Amino acid sequence: MNRRTFLRSGIALSAFISTGWDKSRPLSVAIIGHTGRGNYGHGLDTLWLEFPELSIAGVADPDPKGLEAARVRLKGAAGFADYRKMLEVQKPDLLCIAPRHIDQHRDMALAACAAGVKGIYMEKPFCRTLSEADEILQACGKTGTKIALAHRNRYHPALATAQNLVETGTLGQVLEVRGRGKEDHRGGPLDLWVLGSHVLNLIPLFTGNLTACSAGIYQDGKPITRADLREGEEGIGKTGGNSLHARFESEKGIPVYIDSRQGAGVAAANFGFQVIGTKGIMDIRIDTEPLVHVIMGHPMHPVTGTRQWLPVTSGGINQPEPVDGITAAIAGHHAAVGDLLAAVQENRQPLCSGQEGRATVEAISAVFESHRLGGARVGLPLKTRGNPLDLL
């Protein structure tokens, strides 16, 4: 996304209101949460209060106490125990699917399409399996519903500068990309789903689509077997192990390595990935500002002096960020919502679309499929559309 596109997304709300819609009423948005089972994501309920041009049609939550608390946060919005009833009665233009537990996303998205919702903003990750992703995208294709994923870093304008550094050869020849999750208590597959999905969503901007994967999943250093499987947290389905290593191939011939090891992370490093070139390294730390840094010099060349990490903004290397309010725009989901509204108005896909969400789910599933096949190389797209670990 270039700076011009980002700035346009920032004003997209007013443009959206002024064209293509019935001016006699404001656009309405409904919110689905589930207290105790994914809650309301990362502020995905109250963010809508910051868009006065939108009216909040209602909030649904099957937990009575959670529903009442949500209604208070949302300034007395109408409350519903059943989101289907809310969609039927309120007929919102937009829907926010906020729970972090992804086992609910498919049913909620299909209900939204059936109800005629024009735009969906959904907490990441997209859904549990490729078959669920296929169903959602097929439904969206039939109804014209636009779906955007809350991989909020995808909307950062500095990514355009970062892509340019790679494309113009500033980093030299790209040797590889290396990503890691947060590697806290969730190390391994859960880390890959919850944090690694952010990493895998951004890496193709620099490598092109991922085309194949070879991977292994481990419990205390030993490859997991069916006996190690359990039902995963956050609705991810069958899982197991506390570490993993994966190697992906990509369209541009750049190898991509993804690792997660329980307890190996440090809070200061957060999580992210590095694009390693012959002239320098670019580091992207998810949910940080500045998002991107570079350090120049060959990565394998020992030096006696100090090499400095320099911030990268939409203005360039070591330049101040020219976009005002960048932290709120990205962390507060403002840029993402603006882009979704513009996408509905312009009848185009959002910047972080359901198709991108499916590609991320496919990369995660490829790790599981390769492990199921003894670490064999598996090509993408995958033939297995369910959870490969169900077949282990």
Side-chain angles (χ1 to χ4, degrees):
M1 173 175 58
N2 60 36
R3 182 169 177 252
R4 183 175 180 181
T5 301
F6 176 82
L7 291 174
R8 184 185 64 184
S9 75
I11 63 171
L13 189 62
S14 60
F16 185 78
I17 296 296
S18 63
T19 58
W21 288 89
D22 181 358
K23 296 180 181 180
S24 67
R25 67 176 181 88
L27 293 174
S28 62
V29 57
I31 301 149
I32 303 175
H34 195 157
T35 300
R37 288 206 60 229
N39 302 318
Y40 291 82
H42 296 82
L44 294 193
D45 52 349
T46 55
L47 82 88
W48 304 97
L49 295 172
E50 300 177 43
F51 291 85
E53 297 91 337
L54 296 176
S55 68
I56 296 179
V59 58
D61 189 329
D63 181 87
K65 291 184 178 178
L67 177 59
E68 186 55 33
R71 292 188 65 241
V72 171
R73 291 195 302 272
L74 296 172
K75 312 300 183 185
F80 296 82
D82 186 337
Y83 65 83
R84 293 178 178 85
K85 186 67 174 178
M86 177 179 68
L87 290 169
E88 176 188 347
V89 173
Q90 301 299 88
K91 296 179 173 56
D93 300 303
L94 309 169
L95 180 69
C96 178
I97 297 175
R100 293 191 310 275
H101 288 207
I102 61 175
D103 56 333
Q104 305 170 86
H105 288 185
R106 176 252 186 203
D107 291 350
M108 291 172 177
L110 294 183
C113 289
V117 168
K118 297 175 177 63
I120 300 171
Y121 191 53
M122 181 187 291
E123 175 65 298
K124 58 78 196 170
F126 188 18
C127 51
R128 293 177 295 181
T129 65
L130 286 170
S131 62
E132 289 187 348
D134 293 339
E135 283 186 89
I136 294 170
L137 293 182
Q138 183 179 32
C140 288
K142 289 180 178 179
T143 61
T145 304
K146 309 304 179 187
I147 187 165
L149 276 296
H151 288 293
R152 54 193 177 186
N153 297 273
R154 179 69 176 82
Y155 301 87
H156 201 297
L159 290 174
T161 310
Q163 286 179 285
N164 188 59
L165 294 180
V166 173
E167 292 166 0
T168 60
T170 301
L171 296 181
Q173 180 182 352
V174 176
L175 302 173
E176 61 188 53
V177 175
R178 289 193 172 269
R180 305 192 76 94
K182 218 166 199 177
E183 301 184 290
D184 52 15
H185 64 283
R186 295 167 291 189
L190 182 59
D191 192 21
L192 182 67
W193 269 114
V194 179
L195 293 316
S197 59
H198 283 301
V199 174
L200 287 167
N201 177 255
L202 293 182
I203 283 176
L205 294 177
F206 305 97
T207 64
N209 293 331
L210 303 179
T211 58
C213 176
S214 304
I217 306 171
Y218 309 90
Q219 179 66 43
D220 300 329
K222 297 180 180 179
I224 64 167
T225 66
R226 173 168 286 276
D228 295 304
L229 297 181
R230 64 184 187 279
E231 195 63 27
E233 300 172 48
E234 304 206 20
I236 64 172
K238 199 68 65 66
T239 189
N242 57 10
S243 67
L244 62 83
H245 171 74
R247 181 188 185 276
F248 290 91
E249 299 169 28
S250 69
E251 282 183 325
K252 294 183 178 180
I254 301 169
V256 176
Y257 300 92
I258 300 291
D259 288 87
S260 176
R261 185 183 296 269
Q262 188 178 56
V266 293
N270 201 23
F271 63 108
F273 63 98
Q274 294 186 336
V275 179
I276 302 171
T278 55
K279 295 181 180 179
I281 302 172
M282 181 168 64
D283 184 271
I284 297 179
R285 295 291 100 191
I286 305 299
D287 291 340
T288 63
E289 188 59 45
L291 177 68
V292 185
H293 288 80
V294 294
I295 189 167
M296 303 311 296
H298 195 290
M300 302 302 172
H301 179 64
V303 295
T304 55
T306 300
R307 291 191 295 186
Q308 184 179 4
W309 284 100
L310 301 174
V312 176
T313 71
S314 62
I317 297 176
N318 207 26
Q319 297 297 313
E321 176 56 62
V323 177
D324 293 334
I326 189 68
T327 299
I330 302 302
H333 306 270
H334 299 169
V337 169
D339 180 69
L340 173 60
L341 295 172
V344 174
Q345 178 196 18
E346 299 165 9
N347 193 27
R348 62 167 173 82
Q349 288 301 318
L351 191 62
C352 189
S353 65
Q355 285 81 1
E356 281 204 7
R358 179 168 60 183
T360 300
V361 171
E362 186 152 49
I364 293 169
S365 298
V367 173
F368 304 148
E369 177 73 340
S370 176
H371 177 83
R372 180 179 78 86
L373 298 175
R377 177 187 182 275
V378 295
L380 304 178
L382 290 177
K383 295 180 180 179
T384 300
R385 307 305 281 180
N387 181 351
L389 295 181
D390 288 339
L391 305 175
L392 187 62

